Amino acid sequence: MAPKKITKRGEELKQEDVLQAVVIADSFDRKFVPISDKRPRSLFHVANVPLLDYTLEFLCSAGVEEVFVFCCHLADQIKDHLKNSGWIDNDRKFFVQTITSEDCMSVGDALRDIDAKSLIRSDFILVHGDVVSNINIQDVVQEHKKRRETDKSSIMTQVFTKAPPTHASRCREDDLVVAIDSKTSQIIHYQKVDPDKNLEFPVEILTEHKEVQIRYDLLDCQISVCSPQVLSLFTDNFDYQSRDDFIKGILTNEEIMGNTIYIRIITEKYAARISNLQLYDSVSRDIINRWTFPMVPDNCIKPNKDSMSYGRHNVYLSKDVTLARGCVLEENVLVGKGSVIGSNSFISNTVIGSNCKIGENVKLIDTYVWDGVTVENNCVINKSLLCDNVTVYEGVTVCSRCVLSWDVAVGPQVTMKEGTVAVASLDDDDFGEIDDRGTVSTEFGVKGRAFHHSSGAGSDEEDEKLNQAMWGLSIEYTSDDDDESSVSTLSSAKDVQMASEEMFYIELQDTLKRGKDENISADNLIVEINSLKLAYNITVQELNIMVTKALLEQSISEAASQLASQVFPLMKMNLQKFLSLLKNYIKSADSQKHCLQSIEEFGSLSSLNLQLVVKVIHILYDLEVLDEQVILKWYKQGSTSAEIVPDKQREIRQQVEPLIKWLEEADEESSESEG
Amino acid sequence: MEFQPVVMAAGRGSRMTDLTCKSHKALLPIGNMPMMWYPINMLEMAGFTEAIVVVLDSFATEAQKVLTEICDVKMRLDFIGIPDTEYWGTADVLRHIKDRIKTDVLIISSDLISDVSIHDIANVHRTYDATITSLLSNIPEQYNEIPAPGPKSKKKPEKDYIGLDEKGCRVLFYTPEADLDAEKVKISKSLLKRHPCVSIKSNLTDCHLYLMKKWVIDFLMEKRSISSIKGELLPYLTKKQFSKPKREDLPNTDASVLSANVAKDIFSFISQDPMLKKVEKTSTWIDHTGDMDNCYHGNQIRCYAYLQSSGFCARTNTVSSYCEINKQIPRLLQALAPEKEIPTKHSSAVIKGTSQVGSECLVGEGVTIGDKVSIKRSVIGKHCTVGDKVKITNSVILDHVNIGECCNIQGSIVSSNSHIIDKSDLKDCIVGTGENVKGKYTNEALTDVHRMIEI
């Protein structure tokens, strides 16, 4: 009697104890377009191993026994990979099963699908197929289960790693602030940081918890331990698309639903999710620098038979690599099997895939080269990504942040501008086809087979935005659509307007001069200028620019000498005198932008003017004509004016830098009232 | 002398008016010693030889007499009276005594009773060359939750929201509950960038012990609108930590940009020891991790706190904390003043017959206790007379109280010179100074103020 009972209980336990995991092998975003058009993100090679293998290895070593890989985009590739690499169909105690659903649009859809199939029996691990980690998730699972014993409503434990704001693997889209109850480590607030806004928290965070930690040093590595309820909650709330939606939903409905989410912060082990190219870069480095031990290239992950040797300065070489005499592999270099590197080539911080041919005198720095790539002699490639079968002909220079997608060929003897994203063929429906083809031969070389990549929507601005997002640039690129179009219409009708603009400007200068000499009141001047505007059919934007310009140039012409120290007091006086006039025109953020544009144009005229720029901006800031937000935005964004050469722009920005720094650092000053 | 101690003993006890309406808060006895003796004792233990004591004019002489004659304080105490008619805050007091301040100051409130070592606080202050260092403790919180004698009040103790950095030293955020915005709390991004982990606690009590740079007082002279240290100065300084000096320091600007009439801003008061400046420049030590910025990120104003986590700490500013501390004091006296021998039962006290006095009791000088009396967890003040068959539990009896026969006093405070007539029964009551009480009361404040309202 007794033994029977024991076995029965044992069986039950076993059933319970099978730890399940769901791997979402689709990102549901377009961060890696165009690369991800041909291969799903989870199969990208990171240090020559497909990303999904890292994720599965991580789960396997943590003692997970049953894994559901959810594939959507290019599902066949993932299935084939799993089959070929031996994750599926082996008698190990690690059971991998794929779930395919082509019409899923989001993580939410995927989880609803899984819920409908009712595959999950108890607490499970939810990860993305692009996670690299060596943490022992079992600890977190145990912690989660223990918490569940006392509190059924704790439905999720999120794993975060510590990454201070200056950390390499922090990027803008993952910039988040989390508020945690220090005692229970419950997440009480979760918010993405908006770069343009101040941070605000609901007061309840403080009033309802005694000890609250507000943390800005966390990185969401998108590993969560979930209770089965999570799935049904996704089903119930079909507006939950992403995990962020879910967390937000749970936190805001906490009082009604009573569900809670907890946090686990990993400080010693490694965990990161490759969510964009910047993170691809930093995670690759971390792997090569062995932070992810035991998941390092020489300690090959099970299905990969490619064994590597590990040398000093983190140089990893496959067995059949050919290194010519005189080539230098400086540090943090990985070379895949069958690759050949020519003599006198210099390689540093670079990953080279298998069967690549690197010629002589080639310089590869911070670059990721996937399989079957050919780089001919005398090329220089900086911080770029070269996908499979890319050919770079002789003498090509690739500046940083370039992406050469599948099968692209460039060269010989060309230079690729910073941030170029090149694809081998264009989609049929791309409207810019003809234009781009025209530029192919010149830009990508005679033998080139490449086009500028443009995203589906196709506008140039978006293209630029996307490509910057790929490398996760911190430079802000916000283009105001209305503005952009108004500029272009202006330029198209430029010739017609030119004459009247010049005439208007001369009249404006006369008016201001007269205004000063005869001491005419600002109101009257405004009336006069407005009528001039109508007479010459000047746009508001032009008017703003010209009024600023006229005021500035007036002082220059009045000054006796061309010394900054003499011109400036005069200019200050003039600006103060015409302050009400200026304020009449320069009010909104747009007009302030025009004003700054005008100042910039003014500054680019001579070296004297250049010196004055910062002071003028400062005065106008003091006189409350310009708002600090606008100045900062202008500084970051770059000029919209076509009349200024980039060199000058840079000079001006250099001049203004101290002021900007000061403005940025004193940003709380404004909120403070001097008692 | 590195720090000049200032004892703030001019408080009026506005949170315990039932007790302070006729006597001075700083002189209320705790364990048969005046309240203000405890901080002075703390200073003495830390090795200070002189201190400035700020008291109200009206009881300056009394305080002086009590401290030197009865409490036997050896330190040189410099009493400064402030006018009773002016309701001065702590910052106003500092302005008043400015001329006497020669170095950095240590400000201590007369109602602080703690076994914290001032050296530890000073070490935090020295390590970071702080502008102001305050003592925070989560211990007093528990005292506020104990039911107090007297009428039940719904008043909640005031809370402060204090944000500390990861190490729990630097004060990044300091907002009294009253100043908290109704909906949103703003935390600037630049602060979070430098101190990415802010823990905001609302269970800490500011113990009113501050170490402060001398220049802060110079600044107070200029900024007259600040009247209290805790309520106004600290939040102000905490905020100012992350501000940049005004335009004066902006590089690349001609003098003409600046108008001379800008009010002197706080940064112009900062005076740093030139030696320390050099040390800071040449030292490789920085106070943070995560970036390569200068030490302290160039912040010239720095507020720190010492967090007391164990030991004993209390502020006797409410009736409940006053009552509770009196109950605890018998076993704490040894720790607070090891050099001073304070007997739990004074040698001159007379206890008759079969009376029982528990071990956690203090019986003062010249007390007479009748027959069959039982006293538990209570403090009996000097020269009290307790009649036969009286039961006293959890209570504080101040000096010269006369308790008649068969009285039952529970959880109450009986002020000095009052008379409890035979067979009275008091539970959780406060008896005012010089009252005659007869009958049965629970949860009442038996003071004449109260009676006048009742009639």
Side-chain angles (χ1 to χ4, degrees):
Chain A
M1 194 69 188
K4 219 177 184 179
K5 235 180 187 173
I6 288 166
T7 48
K8 209 175 181 185
R9 193 182 288 161
E11 267 171 15
E12 269 173 24
L13 262 177
K14 218 176 166 191
Q15 187 74 342
E16 269 283 293
D17 272 1
V18 170
L19 186 54
Q20 295 175 306
V22 172
V23 178
I24 308 285
D26 197 311
S27 52
F28 303 109
D29 61 30
R30 295 174 58 81
K31 297 269 169 56
F32 279 98
V33 170
I35 316 170
S36 59
D37 285 346
K38 280 205 177 171
R39 187 184 284 178
R41 185 198 293 184
S42 42
L43 293 184
F44 285 0
H45 283 200
V46 178
N48 284 358
V49 176
L51 203 35
L52 189 58
D53 289 356
Y54 286 101
T55 311
L56 292 175
E57 179 69 29
F58 152 64
L59 294 172
C60 180
S61 60
V64 176
E65 289 172 71
E66 195 172 1
V67 177
F68 301 102
V69 179
F70 194 95
C71 9
C72 184
H73 175 60
L74 301 173
D76 294 338
Q77 281 191 33
I78 296 174
K79 277 192 205 157
D80 288 348
H81 169 77
L82 288 173
K83 224 169 257 165
N84 298 336
S85 58
W87 285 111
I88 295 184
D89 297 338
N90 52 12
D91 50 6
R92 274 190 291 174
K93 238 186 130 191
F94 185 66
F95 179 72
V96 179
Q97 194 184 338
T98 53
I99 304 168
T100 321
S101 168
E102 294 285 353
D103 54 350
C104 270
M105 298 299 287
S106 67
V107 178
D109 290 342
L111 292 177
R112 280 185 274 276
D113 197 39
I114 290 171
D115 189 37
K117 292 191 164 80
S118 51
L119 296 162
I120 300 299
R121 292 185 296 272
S122 84
D123 295 335
F124 67 102
I125 300 164
L126 175 64
V127 292
H128 269 273
D130 46 17
V131 163
V132 177
S133 172
N134 60 358
I135 60 171
N136 188 2
I137 192 81
Q138 201 80 39
D139 284 354
V140 187
V141 175
Q142 292 312 327
E143 196 183 287
H144 178 76
K145 283 191 170 159
K146 208 170 165 194
R147 204 176 282 132
R148 294 267 295 159
E149 276 169 21
T150 52
D151 179 12
K152 276 280 172 215
S153 65
S154 60
I155 52 166
M156 196 170 182
T157 304
Q158 278 267 55
V159 178
F160 283 75
T161 45
K162 223 178 139 181
T166 46
H167 199 273
S169 45
R170 242 190 128 92
C171 52
R172 197 139 56 92
E173 60 241 49
D174 284 336
D175 219 12
L176 51 86
V177 175
V178 186
I180 313 161
D181 187 307
S182 321
K183 283 215 175 103
T184 59
S185 67
Q186 184 192 337
I187 300 182
I188 46 185
H189 186 73
Y190 179 95
Q191 140 179 18
K192 291 250 147 105
V193 176
D194 187 337
D196 300 325
K197 277 189 196 151
N198 258 331
L199 277 173
E200 286 184 335
F201 301 92
V203 151
E204 292 79 43
I205 293 180
L206 299 186
T207 50
E208 285 169 16
H209 301 264
K210 275 187 176 164
E211 289 182 28
V212 181
Q213 276 187 342
I214 292 182
R215 307 205 45 159
Y216 188 48
D217 57 348
L218 297 178
L219 194 68
D220 188 353
C221 41
Q222 305 267 10
I223 302 173
S224 1
V225 178
C226 308
S227 312
Q229 283 112 294
V230 171
L231 293 178
S232 50
L233 277 168
F234 264 103
T235 309
D236 293 347
N237 300 281
F238 45 81
D239 55 330
Y240 289 170
Q241 293 302 322
S242 64
R243 193 168 353 192
D244 285 350
D245 289 344
F246 177 76
I247 294 173
K248 236 171 247 164
I250 294 297
L251 293 180
T252 47
N253 293 331
E254 198 199 311
E255 277 159 37
I256 310 161
M257 317 269 289
N259 291 325
T260 47
I261 300 176
Y262 290 84
I263 194 170
R264 169 69 177 257
I265 298 163
I266 304 290
T267 46
E268 278 161 6
K269 296 267 184 157
Y270 188 86
R273 182 189 167 210
I274 299 186
S275 51
N276 57 26
L277 209 45
Q278 188 198 353
L279 275 165
Y280 178 87
D281 180 38
S282 74
V283 171
S284 296
R285 270 161 202 266
D286 291 338
I287 291 174
I288 285 175
N289 284 311
R290 307 179 81 75
W291 289 103
T292 55
F293 192 86
M295 281 180 234
V296 288
D298 53 314
N299 198 358
C300 65
I301 290 170
K302 279 158 198 162
N304 291 289
K305 301 290 176 278
D306 184 13
S307 66
M308 294 229 173
S309 68
Y310 170 54
R312 281 174 63 180
H313 307 301
N314 295 329
V315 174
Y316 302 85
L317 297 174
S318 275
K319 267 183 185 154
D320 41 3
V321 165
T322 315
L323 299 178
R325 184 183 291 269
C327 74
V328 180
L329 307 182
E330 200 196 39
E331 54 170 1
N332 304 333
V333 176
L334 188 149
V335 186
K337 67 171 177 225
S339 289
V340 181
I341 296 172
S343 60
N344 294 325
S345 286
F346 175 86
I347 293 166
S348 170
N349 289 319
T350 291
V351 174
I352 297 174
S354 50
N355 302 318
C356 292
K357 286 186 191 64
I358 311 293
E360 294 173 13
N361 291 320
V362 171
K363 232 177 167 184
L364 295 179
I365 294 161
D366 298 338
T367 296
Y368 299 93
V369 178
W370 291 0
D371 297 347
V373 171
T374 309
V375 179
E376 291 195 348
N377 300 350
N378 305 318
C379 288
V380 179
I381 302 178
N382 261 315
K383 201 178 175 87
S384 292
L385 171 66
L386 279 59
C387 295
D388 283 8
N389 304 324
V390 163
T391 312
V392 180
Y393 292 107
E394 204 170 332
V396 172
T397 306
V398 180
C399 292
S400 52
R401 300 175 200 285
C402 283
V403 175
L404 304 186
S405 186
W406 315 94
D407 310 313
V408 160
V410 287
Q413 311 293 350
V414 289
T415 302
M416 289 182 63
K417 272 194 295 183
E418 188 173 324
T420 313
V421 177
V423 291
S425 62
L426 289 168
D427 295 338
D428 295 336
D429 57 338
D430 199 305
F431 84 102
E433 197 173 357
I434 299 152
D435 274 359
D436 281 342
R437 208 157 261 169
T439 62
V440 163
S441 51
T442 53
E443 209 177 315
F444 295 112
V446 190
K447 293 199 235 169
R449 185 179 66 238
F451 302 94
H452 276 292
H453 167 69
S454 49
S455 61
S459 81
D460 274 22
E461 287 92 335
E462 242 174 85
D463 187 10
E464 210 164 324
K465 217 174 185 173
L466 180 94
N467 138 37
Q468 287 182 336
M470 274 193 87
W471 274 106
L473 266 190
S474 52
I475 293 173
E476 215 164 307
Y477 194 85
T478 45
S479 65
D480 203 331
D481 280 335
D482 301 335
D483 228 68
E484 222 65 43
S485 58
S486 73
V487 167
S488 58
T489 50
L490 252 175
S491 56
S492 63
K494 213 170 191 174
D495 300 325
V496 190
Q497 282 207 323
M498 211 46 176
S500 64
E501 274 172 22
E502 273 168 16
M503 290 291 288
F504 170 75
Y505 186 63
I506 293 164
E507 290 259 18
L508 182 68
Q509 272 180 317
D510 285 348
T511 313
L512 287 177
K513 197 165 183 313
R514 204 155 39 82
K516 198 181 173 191
D517 294 343
E518 296 170 21
N519 231 345
I520 301 170
S521 81
D523 288 340
N524 290 344
L525 281 176
I526 290 167
V527 171
E528 215 164 301
I529 292 172
N530 283 348
S531 63
L532 279 175
K533 170 187 175 278
L534 290 175
Y536 289 98
N537 194 17
I538 298 292
T539 62
V540 178
Q541 183 191 2
E542 284 295 299
L543 178 69
N544 292 338
I545 290 174
M546 286 208 239
V547 168
T548 317
K549 192 175 161 196
L551 278 174
L552 295 177
E553 288 196 339
Q554 192 183 17
S555 329
I556 300 272
S557 58
E558 279 173 17
S561 74
Q562 292 291 297
L563 285 172
S565 55
Q566 287 190 16
V567 177
F568 180 63
L570 200 68
M571 184 172 282
K572 195 183 169 202
M573 208 182 75
N574 273 341
L575 286 174
Q576 271 166 350
K577 191 174 170 66
F578 288 112
L579 182 63
S580 51
L581 177 98
L582 201 58
K583 274 193 174 164
N584 179 58
Y585 291 107
I586 313 296
K587 276 183 210 147
S588 65
D590 270 342
S591 60
Q592 290 181 33
K593 214 163 105 190
H594 301 149
C595 175
L596 280 165
Q597 186 189 335
S598 173
I599 294 170
E600 199 174 350
E601 279 173 21
F602 167 79
S604 63
L605 293 177
S606 73
S607 63
L608 164 74
N609 293 5
L610 186 65
Q611 287 169 32
L612 289 169
V613 164
V614 62
K615 289 172 191 162
V616 170
I617 296 178
H618 188 209
I619 285 193
L620 292 179
Y621 171 69
D622 275 354
L623 293 175
E624 291 169 3
V625 176
L626 295 176
D627 192 58
E628 79 177 75
Q629 292 300 332
V630 179
I631 300 178
L632 294 177
K633 203 170 162 191
W634 162 81
Y635 178 76
K636 282 180 191 143
Q637 187 175 339
S639 173
T640 45
S641 166
E643 285 163 41
I644 308 166
V645 281
D647 273 358
K648 285 280 182 197
Q649 266 191 41
R650 214 165 299 135
E651 267 178 55
I652 288 170
R653 279 186 174 54
Q654 244 165 34
Q655 283 278 329
V656 187
E657 205 182 305
L659 178 78
I660 296 296
K661 228 177 180 170
W662 173 77
L663 281 174
E664 273 175 343
E665 284 175 355
D667 63 354
E668 59 271 83
E669 195 103 356
S670 59
S671 65
E672 236 169 328
S673 60
E674 221 46 51
Chain B
M1 195 160 58
E2 192 185 0
F3 299 110
Q4 221 173 334
V6 177
V7 181
M8 295 286 184
R12 288 160 202 270
S14 53
R15 295 181 189 85
M16 41 201 284
T17 42
D18 288 334
L19 295 175
T20 53
C21 58
K22 281 194 182 162
S23 56
H24 299 289
K25 178 189 171 195
L27 291 178
L28 276 180
I30 294 173
N32 289 337
M33 293 298 240
M35 186 190 283
M36 64 189 290
W37 171 77
Y38 290 92
I40 290 171
N41 173 59
M42 232 170 115
L43 295 173
E44 213 171 4
M45 301 269 292
F48 286 101
T49 52
E50 54 185 84
I52 296 172
V53 182
V54 181
V55 289
L56 287 176
D57 268 337
S58 57
F59 76 104
T61 43
E62 194 190 343
Q64 202 160 358
K65 199 178 133 209
V66 167
L67 281 177
T68 46
E69 288 174 17
I70 302 171
C71 304
D72 192 26
V73 174
K74 303 272 188 320
M75 247 161 95
R76 208 167 66 79
L77 297 177
D78 189 358
F79 284 87
I80 296 179
I82 60 166
D84 282 54
T85 46
E86 311 258 358
Y87 280 82
W88 276 356
T90 38
D92 297 317
V93 170
L94 283 183
R95 269 194 281 271
H96 182 66
I97 59 167
K98 179 187 183 277
D99 295 336
R100 308 226 187 185
I101 305 289
K102 302 283 182 282
T103 63
D104 295 351
V105 282
L106 186 160
I107 297 156
I108 187 166
S109 163
S110 65
D111 56 14
L112 175 68
I113 301 177
S114 173
D115 60 354
V116 71
S117 150
I118 293 177
H119 293 105
D120 291 342
I121 308 167
N123 281 343
V124 171
H125 190 75
R126 291 169 187 143
T127 309
Y128 302 103
D129 188 26
T131 305
I132 186 164
T133 306
S134 45
L135 169 66
L136 299 178
S137 173
N138 57 9
I139 301 164
E141 205 200 16
Q142 63 203 55
Y143 302 126
N144 289 329
E145 284 156 13
I146 294 162
K152 280 184 184 137
S153 69
K154 287 187 189 87
K155 244 196 223 164
K156 274 189 181 167
E158 303 114 80
K159 270 198 261 180
D160 296 305
Y161 294 99
I162 302 173
L164 299 169
D165 71 349
E166 212 163 353
K167 284 180 272 181
C169 280
R170 179 98 182 245
V171 181
L172 306 170
F173 183 88
Y174 195 113
T175 311
E177 193 178 25
D179 292 359
L180 210 61
D181 202 318
E183 283 173 4
K184 297 274 176 192
V185 188
K186 271 186 199 165
I187 293 178
S188 84
K189 242 177 274 174
S190 53
L191 185 148
L192 274 183
K193 263 180 200 149
R194 284 158 190 171
H195 305 278
C197 177
V198 184
S199 44
I200 299 180
K201 305 185 180 195
S202 52
N203 54 357
L204 295 176
T205 305
D206 189 311
C207 300
H208 288 229
L209 190 158
Y210 309 104
L211 294 172
M212 199 191 275
K213 283 258 185 305
K214 182 176 180 288
W215 66 258
V216 179
I217 299 173
D218 298 333
F219 163 70
L220 283 176
M221 295 307 288
E222 172 81 23
K223 198 158 174 87
R224 298 218 156 243
S225 57
I226 291 180
S227 85
S228 95
I229 296 176
K230 185 193 159 270
E232 290 156 82
L233 182 65
L234 253 180
Y236 182 81
L237 286 177
T238 313
K239 235 178 173 183
K240 275 285 173 193
Q241 287 183 98
F242 309 103
S243 303
K244 285 276 145 178
K246 282 267 177 205
R247 284 137 221 211
E248 275 100 326
D249 294 34
L250 179 65
N252 257 345
T253 320
D254 277 1
S256 58
V257 180
L258 320 158
S259 37
N261 55 13
V262 177
K264 261 180 135 183
D265 113 289
I266 184 165
F267 292 93
S268 57
F269 291 97
I270 297 172
S271 65
Q272 202 186 10
D273 187 350
M275 194 63 170
L276 276 174
K277 222 177 211 167
K278 262 188 188 162
V279 169
E280 208 183 295
K281 254 186 196 157
T282 43
S283 162
T284 54
W285 182 80
I286 50 170
D287 67 325
H288 57 271
T289 54
D291 62 45
M292 303 296 282
D293 205 347
N294 289 338
C295 194
Y296 311 121
H297 297 284
N299 295 154
Q300 286 173 297
I301 300 175
R302 297 183 289 275
C303 302
Y304 285 86
Y306 176 80
L307 216 67
Q308 192 196 9
S309 49
S310 63
F312 179 76
C313 182
R315 284 201 62 210
T316 43
N317 58 350
T318 59
V319 174
S320 58
S321 60
Y322 176 76
C323 202
E324 188 56 29
I325 282 142
N326 264 303
K327 279 177 220 159
Q328 303 227 10
I329 211 76
R331 64 186 174 82
L332 292 169
L333 270 176
Q334 191 59 33
L336 292 173
E339 284 159 33
K340 213 172 161 109
E341 291 239 338
I342 302 169
T344 49
K345 280 170 211 135
H346 201 274
S347 51
S348 59
V350 183
I351 301 171
K352 281 186 206 157
T354 55
S355 293
Q356 285 183 325
V357 179
S359 58
E360 319 96 331
C361 293
L362 268 187
V363 178
E365 191 185 334
V367 171
T368 320
I369 294 176
D371 203 13
K372 291 182 185 162
V373 169
S374 145
I375 300 174
K376 281 177 198 156
R377 290 188 298 279
S378 299
V379 177
I380 314 288
K382 290 162 200 164
H383 309 290
C384 289
T385 320
V386 180
D388 294 345
K389 294 177 200 155
V390 168
K391 265 177 93 178
I392 301 174
T393 28
N394 285 333
S395 298
V396 185
I397 315 291
L398 304 193
D399 302 346
H400 302 285
V401 173
N402 205 334
I403 300 174
E405 286 175 19
C406 301
C407 283
N408 187 2
I409 299 172
Q410 254 187 65
S412 303
I413 300 174
V414 181
S415 301
S416 49
N417 298 322
S418 48
H419 187 84
I420 314 285
I421 295 162
D422 298 357
K423 291 175 189 157
S424 293
D425 191 345
L426 302 178
K427 198 177 168 228
D428 298 328
C429 287
I430 299 176
V431 177
T433 312
E435 296 290 318
N436 286 319
V437 177
K438 189 179 182 214
K440 196 173 170 179
Y441 298 96
T442 29
N443 281 97
E444 275 186 70
L446 307 166
T447 58
D448 61 7
V449 180
H450 186 87
R451 268 184 205 175
M452 269 161 66
I453 295 165
E454 242 180 15
I455 296 160

